[in-house]
Amino acid sequence: MTGEEVREDLSAVSSGKHPTPQFEGQTEPKLRNSEGEKVTNRFRSDARGRILLENPQIAKKIVDSGILASKARSAAKRAREVTRPKSGLEFSNLTGKLADCSSTDARHSELFSVAGNSAGGSAKVGRNSGSQAVLQVPGKIFNVEKASIDKKLAKDVVRSFRTAMGIGFCAAFDVVKAR
C-alpha cells in the first residue's frame, strides 16, 4: 500500500485563525504561510495518531480501505498490461478465427462476429471479402457480471475482438486507428 492509497477516502476539517493568511492560487486551496503550514501539519499529524490509537475500529476501516485501493490499483495496472498493444497487430493469435477483408479503409469495412465453426464457414462463404471480415468466437463465452476488468480483458474472445479491430483500451482507445 502507498500512503496515497491509505489517504484516498480520508478527509478532515480544522479551524484556525491567522493574522495575515496567504493562500495559493485563485481558489485558495492551500495555506501558503510557512509558520501556518507547520502548525497545521503538526496538528494534523498529532490528531491523526491520537484518533487512530483511541479508535482501533476506525484504524481497521482505514487500513481495509487502503488495501482495497491497492488492489484496485493493481487490477488497473494488470488491465493496462493486458491491453497494451504489442508490436504491430497481433494476427498470429487469430489464425483460423478471422477471415479478414482486403479493405484497409475502416469507414468501408465491417466485422461480423459469429458463434462457432459452422456459422463461421457459412458467413465466410456468403460475405463480400473486399469489405466484410468474419471473426469466429466460441458459442458460449463467459459471465462478465462479476468478473474484474483485468480478467475480462485477459479472455481470448476479448483479445480477439480488440486485435481484429486494431483498437486499444481506455486511454489507448483511438477510433481513428480502428481497422
Side-chain angles (χ1 to χ4, degrees):
M1 272 189 304
T2 65
E4 186 176 312
E5 291 164 348
V6 173
R7 292 185 301 268
E8 189 171 286
D9 292 332
L10 297 180
S11 61
V13 177
S14 62
S15 178
K17 292 186 179 189
H18 192 283
T20 56
Q22 294 175 352
F23 295 96
E24 280 185 7
Q26 187 174 359
T27 59
E28 303 179 350
K30 185 177 177 184
L31 186 62
R32 209 176 66 186
N33 297 69
S34 61
E35 68 276 358
E37 193 172 349
K38 288 176 189 173
V39 170
T40 303
N41 287 342
R42 192 172 340 112
F43 170 77
R44 204 175 17 213
S45 177
D46 293 347
R48 192 177 342 172
R50 188 178 67 252
I51 289 169
L52 294 177
L53 287 173
E54 292 173 1
N55 300 287
Q57 319 85 321
I58 292 174
K60 182 179 179 347
K61 285 182 181 181
I62 291 170
V63 169
D64 290 345
S65 177
I67 290 170
L68 186 63
S70 179
K71 286 180 180 178
R73 179 184 50 80
S74 296
K77 180 181 178 185
R78 286 192 304 274
R80 279 191 306 276
E81 289 170 356
V82 166
T83 60
R84 185 172 290 126
K86 309 292 187 266
S87 58
L89 292 173
E90 303 169 10
F91 285 109
S92 60
N93 68 344
L94 294 181
T95 307
K97 295 180 185 179
L98 177 67
D100 205 359
C101 61
S102 57
S103 175
T104 57
D105 186 352
R107 295 173 297 174
H108 298 84
S109 300
E110 296 176 286
L111 175 65
F112 294 97
S113 64
V114 295
N117 294 334
S118 60
S122 300
K124 288 175 189 177
V125 171
R127 73 185 175 117
N128 172 350
S129 61
S131 62
Q132 296 174 333
V134 176
L135 178 65
Q136 291 175 226
V137 295
K140 184 173 182 173
I141 302 175
F142 67 103
N143 186 346
V144 297
E145 183 179 5
K146 294 181 181 177
S148 64
I149 188 72
D150 57 316
K151 287 184 181 177
K152 291 174 192 176
L153 294 172
K155 293 291 185 181
D156 284 340
V157 68
V158 176
R159 284 186 183 179
S160 296
F161 274 109
R162 285 187 24 253
T163 302
M165 292 186 285
I167 57 171
F169 179 74
C170 289
F173 178 81
D174 186 358
V175 73
V176 175
K177 294 180 182 176
R179 300 186 53 247

